[in-house]
Amino acid sequence: MTASTSSPGQPAWLHEEERRLYAFATGSVVPDGFGWLDTRGEVVVDRPTETWITARMTHVFSLAHLRGEAAAKEKADHGVKALKDGPLRDTERGGWFDEVPEGNDAPNSRERSQKSAYPHAFVVLAAATATVAGRPGARDLLTEALRVMEEHFWEESAGAVLESWNADWSRTEDYRGANSNMHCVEAFLAAADATGDHRWTHRALSVAERLVHGVAQEHDWRLPEHFTSDWEALPGYNRDHPDHPFRPFGSTTGHLLEWARLLVHLEIALERAGQTPPAWLRSDAEELFEHAVRRGWAVDGADGFVYTLDWNDVPVVRERMHWVMAEATMAAWALGRHLGADGSIDYAAHYHRWWEFTDRRHVDREHGNWHHELDRDNRPAGTVWSGKPDVYHAYQATLLPQTFLAPSIAGGLLPTTYPQGRNS
């Protein structure tokens, strides 16, 4: 496909990029879900099928169905069926394994498998989006996923979620993580949007209040992401493994931007629930955005957001991740749209600058999708992330500015539900 004559971030460009990403994603189908894709869009055959990838792609294909992609419904249905009836799900004890257990038919193979909050959050998100898209079996999947979240992961005393369990739910990890909790906020908002049950909206607010209005604010808008089971911060966690793809050392710039956007969705969700949102949602979103940009953008002399910073704002892992650019553009658009003239930051300028950088450096027009990682000189790399596992972040980034703001991205595609129409 030739490059669009429209400027990056503009409607025609976004729609074209949305279609390119969808086309790349179609190669991910495997019998038990969706597989990890390499740089050319082929499934990496020696990797097991993973729940988080399968759920994220089910979410994407459900969104694509809502967008009118003719063949997307079959792939969304494949994902729903894989999550309901495939080997990723533990039909005996409930929940989902992190990946298809090795030697699934071997005795006791499932005893060695972990069940983590991070993939469970994406099962909820996938089921919620598929429910909004009207896919068969999706509502039952959502009901079951929320039951598991309620019974095994939600910790009422903390107002947040546990990190992981062993296969039979008898032992939980002595660790709490901000990453899994952040994605639960996204999932809970999507679940409330799909079901009308605002218990999940309130739980999303509880998580955000603990981690953003509490921890991030107390650390001058740097967010420690690793905690003990009593929620004491572990600022030195993974100092010897700083480039961990899920639990890196230090402050993760992209998550601050992602949180800023989620606070906007949360404010809208509370308004939909007939409640007055706390004022801190808006002010905290602005603080997160401003500090992330000032500390993370081009801080080592080259454009791009570094992956992580230490607690003195010195870059630790200087690679640039595609998902950070996706979240940056979404945060800029959402805050600019939501705050309007009340905002103190030129969000539009950031939005256009970052889309131009993404188009120039991340978008891979030869093989499809985006380069998931760039080195410190903005050349394609693969030290933290190999291949191009999925299109979740990039696809959402192209889609959000073409919708209108709602508690969930799927909800923003339904003008019959939100009759004021698009505000793009």
PDB file of all heavy atoms in Angstrom, residues 344-358:
ATOM      1  N   SER A 344      -3.849  23.578  29.931  1.00  0.00           N
ATOM      2  CA  SER A 344      -2.697  24.486  30.026  1.00  0.00           C
ATOM      3  C   SER A 344      -1.556  24.062  29.112  1.00  0.00           C
ATOM      4  O   SER A 344      -0.505  24.694  29.105  1.00  0.00           O
ATOM      5  CB  SER A 344      -2.200  24.526  31.473  1.00  0.00           C
ATOM      6  OG  SER A 344      -1.809  23.226  31.906  1.00  0.00           O
ATOM      7  N   ILE A 345      -1.743  22.994  28.346  1.00  0.00           N
ATOM      8  CA  ILE A 345      -0.710  22.424  27.485  1.00  0.00           C
ATOM      9  C   ILE A 345      -1.226  22.422  26.054  1.00  0.00           C
ATOM     10  O   ILE A 345      -2.416  22.205  25.806  1.00  0.00           O
ATOM     11  CB  ILE A 345      -0.362  20.993  27.939  1.00  0.00           C
ATOM     12  CG1 ILE A 345       0.206  21.000  29.370  1.00  0.00           C
ATOM     13  CG2 ILE A 345       0.635  20.332  26.994  1.00  0.00           C
ATOM     14  CD1 ILE A 345       0.376  19.623  29.972  1.00  0.00           C
ATOM     15  N   ASP A 346      -0.343  22.643  25.097  1.00  0.00           N
ATOM     16  CA  ASP A 346      -0.712  22.582  23.686  1.00  0.00           C
ATOM     17  C   ASP A 346      -0.709  21.117  23.252  1.00  0.00           C
ATOM     18  O   ASP A 346       0.260  20.637  22.655  1.00  0.00           O
ATOM     19  CB  ASP A 346       0.258  23.417  22.848  1.00  0.00           C
ATOM     20  CG  ASP A 346      -0.202  23.569  21.400  1.00  0.00           C
ATOM     21  OD1 ASP A 346      -1.142  22.860  21.001  1.00  0.00           O
ATOM     22  OD2 ASP A 346       0.397  24.391  20.675  1.00  0.00           O
ATOM     23  N   TYR A 347      -1.791  20.425  23.561  1.00  0.00           N
ATOM     24  CA  TYR A 347      -1.864  19.002  23.268  1.00  0.00           C
ATOM     25  C   TYR A 347      -1.826  18.732  21.766  1.00  0.00           C
ATOM     26  O   TYR A 347      -1.261  17.736  21.318  1.00  0.00           O
ATOM     27  CB  TYR A 347      -3.127  18.405  23.886  1.00  0.00           C
ATOM     28  CG  TYR A 347      -3.114  18.421  25.397  1.00  0.00           C
ATOM     29  CD1 TYR A 347      -3.902  19.319  26.115  1.00  0.00           C
ATOM     30  CD2 TYR A 347      -2.301  17.552  26.113  1.00  0.00           C
ATOM     31  CE1 TYR A 347      -3.885  19.348  27.498  1.00  0.00           C
ATOM     32  CE2 TYR A 347      -2.270  17.568  27.500  1.00  0.00           C
ATOM     33  CZ  TYR A 347      -3.064  18.471  28.189  1.00  0.00           C
ATOM     34  OH  TYR A 347      -3.029  18.496  29.561  1.00  0.00           O
ATOM     35  N   ALA A 348      -2.430  19.613  20.982  1.00  0.00           N
ATOM     36  CA  ALA A 348      -2.462  19.405  19.532  1.00  0.00           C
ATOM     37  C   ALA A 348      -1.053  19.402  18.948  1.00  0.00           C
ATOM     38  O   ALA A 348      -0.732  18.605  18.055  1.00  0.00           O
ATOM     39  CB  ALA A 348      -3.314  20.476  18.866  1.00  0.00           C
ATOM     40  N   ALA A 349      -0.201  20.286  19.437  1.00  0.00           N
ATOM     41  CA  ALA A 349       1.172  20.335  18.930  1.00  0.00           C
ATOM     42  C   ALA A 349       1.906  19.030  19.230  1.00  0.00           C
ATOM     43  O   ALA A 349       2.627  18.493  18.375  1.00  0.00           O
ATOM     44  CB  ALA A 349       1.917  21.518  19.544  1.00  0.00           C
ATOM     45  N   HIS A 350       1.737  18.511  20.444  1.00  0.00           N
ATOM     46  CA  HIS A 350       2.354  17.228  20.790  1.00  0.00           C
ATOM     47  C   HIS A 350       1.793  16.116  19.905  1.00  0.00           C
ATOM     48  O   HIS A 350       2.542  15.263  19.413  1.00  0.00           O
ATOM     49  CB  HIS A 350       2.104  16.897  22.255  1.00  0.00           C
ATOM     50  CG  HIS A 350       2.878  17.744  23.218  1.00  0.00           C
ATOM     51  ND1 HIS A 350       4.253  17.833  23.186  1.00  0.00           N
ATOM     52  CD2 HIS A 350       2.477  18.529  24.253  1.00  0.00           C
ATOM     53  CE1 HIS A 350       4.674  18.631  24.150  1.00  0.00           C
ATOM     54  NE2 HIS A 350       3.613  19.073  24.814  1.00  0.00           N
ATOM     55  N   TYR A 351       0.478  16.105  19.730  1.00  0.00           N
ATOM     56  CA  TYR A 351      -0.185  15.074  18.933  1.00  0.00           C
ATOM     57  C   TYR A 351       0.428  15.011  17.534  1.00  0.00           C
ATOM     58  O   TYR A 351       0.810  13.933  17.061  1.00  0.00           O
ATOM     59  CB  TYR A 351      -1.678  15.391  18.864  1.00  0.00           C
ATOM     60  CG  TYR A 351      -2.491  14.478  17.973  1.00  0.00           C
ATOM     61  CD1 TYR A 351      -2.976  13.268  18.459  1.00  0.00           C
ATOM     62  CD2 TYR A 351      -2.784  14.835  16.652  1.00  0.00           C
ATOM     63  CE1 TYR A 351      -3.736  12.439  17.651  1.00  0.00           C
ATOM     64  CE2 TYR A 351      -3.537  14.009  15.841  1.00  0.00           C
ATOM     65  CZ  TYR A 351      -4.010  12.811  16.342  1.00  0.00           C
ATOM     66  OH  TYR A 351      -4.756  11.980  15.539  1.00  0.00           O
ATOM     67  N   HIS A 352       0.527  16.123  16.872  1.00  0.00           N
ATOM     68  CA  HIS A 352       1.041  16.128  15.500  1.00  0.00           C
ATOM     69  C   HIS A 352       2.529  15.816  15.459  1.00  0.00           C
ATOM     70  O   HIS A 352       2.993  15.081  14.571  1.00  0.00           O
ATOM     71  CB  HIS A 352       0.749  17.478  14.846  1.00  0.00           C
ATOM     72  CG  HIS A 352      -0.712  17.722  14.624  1.00  0.00           C
ATOM     73  ND1 HIS A 352      -1.474  16.930  13.792  1.00  0.00           N
ATOM     74  CD2 HIS A 352      -1.549  18.648  15.145  1.00  0.00           C
ATOM     75  CE1 HIS A 352      -2.726  17.358  13.790  1.00  0.00           C
ATOM     76  NE2 HIS A 352      -2.804  18.400  14.609  1.00  0.00           N
ATOM     77  N   ARG A 353       3.307  16.318  16.411  1.00  0.00           N
ATOM     78  CA  ARG A 353       4.737  16.026  16.450  1.00  0.00           C
ATOM     79  C   ARG A 353       4.970  14.524  16.616  1.00  0.00           C
ATOM     80  O   ARG A 353       5.830  13.932  15.941  1.00  0.00           O
ATOM     81  CB  ARG A 353       5.390  16.794  17.603  1.00  0.00           C
ATOM     82  CG  ARG A 353       6.892  16.535  17.735  1.00  0.00           C
ATOM     83  CD  ARG A 353       7.478  17.206  18.976  1.00  0.00           C
ATOM     84  NE  ARG A 353       7.215  18.640  18.979  1.00  0.00           N
ATOM     85  CZ  ARG A 353       6.421  19.261  19.853  1.00  0.00           C
ATOM     86  NH1 ARG A 353       5.817  18.565  20.811  1.00  0.00           N
ATOM     87  NH2 ARG A 353       6.234  20.558  19.788  1.00  0.00           N
ATOM     88  N   TRP A 354       4.216  13.913  17.494  1.00  0.00           N
ATOM     89  CA  TRP A 354       4.440  12.496  17.773  1.00  0.00           C
ATOM     90  C   TRP A 354       3.962  11.596  16.639  1.00  0.00           C
ATOM     91  O   TRP A 354       4.562  10.559  16.369  1.00  0.00           O
ATOM     92  CB  TRP A 354       3.780  12.127  19.101  1.00  0.00           C
ATOM     93  CG  TRP A 354       4.436  12.821  20.259  1.00  0.00           C
ATOM     94  CD1 TRP A 354       5.709  13.331  20.314  1.00  0.00           C
ATOM     95  CD2 TRP A 354       3.843  13.114  21.524  1.00  0.00           C
ATOM     96  NE1 TRP A 354       5.956  13.895  21.535  1.00  0.00           N
ATOM     97  CE2 TRP A 354       4.829  13.789  22.310  1.00  0.00           C
ATOM     98  CE3 TRP A 354       2.595  12.880  22.089  1.00  0.00           C
ATOM     99  CZ2 TRP A 354       4.581  14.209  23.607  1.00  0.00           C
ATOM    100  CZ3 TRP A 354       2.346  13.300  23.389  1.00  0.00           C
ATOM    101  CH2 TRP A 354       3.332  13.960  24.137  1.00  0.00           C
ATOM    102  N   TRP A 355       2.882  11.981  15.975  1.00  0.00           N
ATOM    103  CA  TRP A 355       2.461  11.180  14.826  1.00  0.00           C
ATOM    104  C   TRP A 355       3.480  11.298  13.690  1.00  0.00           C
ATOM    105  O   TRP A 355       3.745  10.323  12.970  1.00  0.00           O
ATOM    106  CB  TRP A 355       1.074  11.595  14.344  1.00  0.00           C
ATOM    107  CG  TRP A 355      -0.033  10.823  14.992  1.00  0.00           C
ATOM    108  CD1 TRP A 355      -1.101  11.323  15.689  1.00  0.00           C
ATOM    109  CD2 TRP A 355      -0.212   9.400  14.993  1.00  0.00           C
ATOM    110  NE1 TRP A 355      -1.922  10.305  16.132  1.00  0.00           N
ATOM    111  CE2 TRP A 355      -1.395   9.113  15.714  1.00  0.00           C
ATOM    112  CE3 TRP A 355       0.511   8.336  14.464  1.00  0.00           C
ATOM    113  CZ2 TRP A 355      -1.875   7.827  15.911  1.00  0.00           C
ATOM    114  CZ3 TRP A 355       0.043   7.031  14.658  1.00  0.00           C
ATOM    115  CH2 TRP A 355      -1.131   6.795  15.378  1.00  0.00           C
ATOM    116  N   GLU A 356       4.045  12.459  13.506  1.00  0.00           N
ATOM    117  CA  GLU A 356       5.071  12.607  12.474  1.00  0.00           C
ATOM    118  C   GLU A 356       6.287  11.742  12.797  1.00  0.00           C
ATOM    119  O   GLU A 356       6.859  11.091  11.904  1.00  0.00           O
ATOM    120  CB  GLU A 356       5.477  14.078  12.352  1.00  0.00           C
ATOM    121  CG  GLU A 356       4.396  14.947  11.704  1.00  0.00           C
ATOM    122  CD  GLU A 356       4.694  16.424  11.803  1.00  0.00           C
ATOM    123  OE1 GLU A 356       5.770  16.778  12.365  1.00  0.00           O
ATOM    124  OE2 GLU A 356       3.872  17.232  11.330  1.00  0.00           O
ATOM    125  N   PHE A 357       6.685  11.704  14.070  1.00  0.00           N
ATOM    126  CA  PHE A 357       7.802  10.852  14.470  1.00  0.00           C
ATOM    127  C   PHE A 357       7.450   9.380  14.255  1.00  0.00           C
ATOM    128  O   PHE A 357       8.263   8.599  13.741  1.00  0.00           O
ATOM    129  CB  PHE A 357       8.143  11.095  15.942  1.00  0.00           C
ATOM    130  CG  PHE A 357       9.186  10.157  16.492  1.00  0.00           C
ATOM    131  CD1 PHE A 357      10.534  10.404  16.301  1.00  0.00           C
ATOM    132  CD2 PHE A 357       8.807   9.019  17.196  1.00  0.00           C
ATOM    133  CE1 PHE A 357      11.497   9.530  16.803  1.00  0.00           C
ATOM    134  CE2 PHE A 357       9.758   8.142  17.697  1.00  0.00           C
ATOM    135  CZ  PHE A 357      11.108   8.403  17.500  1.00  0.00           C
ATOM    136  N   THR A 358       6.244   8.993  14.641  1.00  0.00           N
ATOM    137  CA  THR A 358       5.808   7.597  14.482  1.00  0.00           C
ATOM    138  C   THR A 358       5.809   7.190  13.021  1.00  0.00           C
ATOM    139  O   THR A 358       6.293   6.111  12.655  1.00  0.00           O
ATOM    140  CB  THR A 358       4.405   7.420  15.087  1.00  0.00           C
ATOM    141  OG1 THR A 358       4.456   7.722  16.486  1.00  0.00           O
ATOM    142  CG2 THR A 358       3.898   5.999  14.888  1.00  0.00           C
TER     143      THR A 358
END
